[in-house]
Amino acid sequence: MARAPSMPAATAVGIVVVMLLAAGFRGAEGKSCTNAFPGLTSHTERAAAQLRPGPPATVLQPIIHHHRHGREQHLTPTDESTWMSLMPRRALRREEAFDWLMLYRELRGGGGSARPGVAAGAFLSEASLHDVRLEPGSMYWRAQQTNLEYLLLLDVDRLVWSFRKQAGLTAPGTPYGGWEGPGIQLRGHFVGHYLSATAKMWASTHNDTLNAKMSSVVDALYDCQKKMGTGYLSAFPSDFFDCLEAIKSVWAPYYTIHKVNW
Ligand SMILES: *[C@@H]1O[C@H](CO)[C@@H](O)[C@H](O)[C@H]1NC(C)=O
């Protein structure tokens, strides 16, 4: 007499499949030097990419959108099941799953509103950083000031030192250390972060001193690009890319140039 597979057998098959999948993922991560774009590492970006309508998202899409429009990246949820899957299933009790779905419907303004007084779609709306100011003296304002003061401490000549060297221009001052150190293959990376941070901080505060500083950095980078004459702009030589193409050991040139040029 034939018997249905017992539960333990089914569970064992499940575990083997999970282990094989895990091994596959680890293999992909272990690959260090390929010409392929790395997978999205941020959970939010990955979720946003899945939710975006249209052709399958590339890694660049969310970032281009983000910088060209100078806005925060927002989820554009189109599908309730995708929205629900953003929450780890095990973390949701039944009522919490229901709340999460109600919140989603409210955000979309698509009926099922839990608040009769709230007009559909009025629950949340996008605001530009230029139009939002934190309450002076508040905890959030103090945190923002700390960040602002840190950005103001950074020195223009030191930030662009390796870019000037690379372009063959005179480079006054001393370069920063760490990842910005002149012998480090990731140099210039932090400058990309600086450009994003100062742009957002300026939009959030309109601090003119910061504006002058970030403009000086952009001007200096522009001078470097003009001097190099090919359009290339980086704090490291272009043969780092050749190394990567030849599967030789080199530290993330695409990632770094993307930080600076977008
Ligand atoms: C910019 O911010 C700094 C730090 O809060 C402040 O001391 C300075 O007065 C501000 N400068 C301008 C022009 O707003």
Side-chain angles (χ1 to χ4, degrees):
M1 188 172 113
R3 279 181 32 183
S6 64
M7 273 312 278
T11 309
V13 169
I15 288 170
V16 168
V17 168
V18 167
M19 284 167 71
L20 286 173
L21 283 173
F25 280 126
R26 204 166 312 120
E29 274 170 18
K31 213 157 46 161
S32 59
C33 213
T34 73
N35 195 24
F37 281 117
L40 289 170
T41 49
S42 147
H43 182 82
T44 315
E45 286 285 14
R46 210 176 318 130
Q50 281 167 4
L51 288 167
R52 208 165 291 113
T58 66
V59 176
L60 285 179
Q61 248 177 347
I63 297 146
I64 291 167
H65 171 84
H66 173 86
H67 285 271
R68 290 234 170 113
H69 297 278
R71 287 179 175 180
E72 297 300 328
Q73 184 65 32
H74 288 283
L75 289 178
T76 46
T78 54
D79 169 56
E80 287 187 356
S81 62
T82 315
W83 171 260
M84 292 307 288
S85 73
L86 289 179
M87 286 297 275
R89 207 146 295 244
R90 262 183 309 143
L92 285 178
R93 290 199 320 270
R94 201 164 226 252
E95 318 84 78
E96 288 166 345
F98 182 71
D99 287 349
W100 184 244
L101 186 61
M102 291 307 275
L103 173 64
Y104 166 73
R105 287 183 180 158
E106 244 182 280
L107 290 174
R108 287 181 67 209
S113 175
R115 299 162 194 229
V118 179
F123 184 63
L124 283 183
S125 60
E126 210 171 319
S128 161
L129 289 178
H130 292 281
D131 300 332
V132 177
R133 290 297 174 267
L134 300 178
E135 183 70 30
S138 70
M139 179 173 69
Y140 305 107
W141 177 86
R142 283 204 305 276
Q144 187 182 56
Q145 286 295 302
T146 304
N147 195 5
L148 170 61
E149 283 161 24
Y150 169 69
L151 291 171
L152 287 168
L153 277 179
L154 296 169
D155 180 78
V156 176
D157 285 334
R158 299 194 70 183
L159 283 168
V160 301
W161 194 92
S162 285
F163 287 89
R164 284 175 168 154
K165 267 274 176 263
Q166 183 57 41
L169 293 168
T170 33
T174 50
Y176 281 117
W179 281 6
E180 286 301 301
I184 303 297
Q185 291 180 337
L186 220 57
R187 58 190 181 269
H189 195 101
F190 178 85
V191 178
H193 284 295
Y194 172 88
L195 292 172
S196 304
T198 49
K200 289 190 175 198
M201 182 57 78
W202 183 73
S204 309
T205 62
H206 282 195
N207 182 291
D208 287 338
T209 316
L210 187 71
N211 190 0
K213 274 198 135 168
M214 70 184 194
S215 300
S216 301
V217 171
V218 172
D219 288 346
L221 293 179
Y222 180 55
D223 289 343
C224 293
Q225 194 174 34
K226 265 194 309 193
K227 176 74 179 10
M228 282 191 269
T230 58
Y232 185 66
L233 173 63
S234 179
F236 53 77
S238 61
D239 41 340
F240 281 21
F241 294 95
D242 302 333
C243 274
L244 190 63
E245 304 300 337
I247 326 279
K248 290 190 191 134
S249 170
V250 65
W251 197 2
Y254 282 111
Y255 181 31
T256 301
I257 202 160
H258 175 264
K259 280 260 177 296
V260 174
N261 289 285
W262 282 103

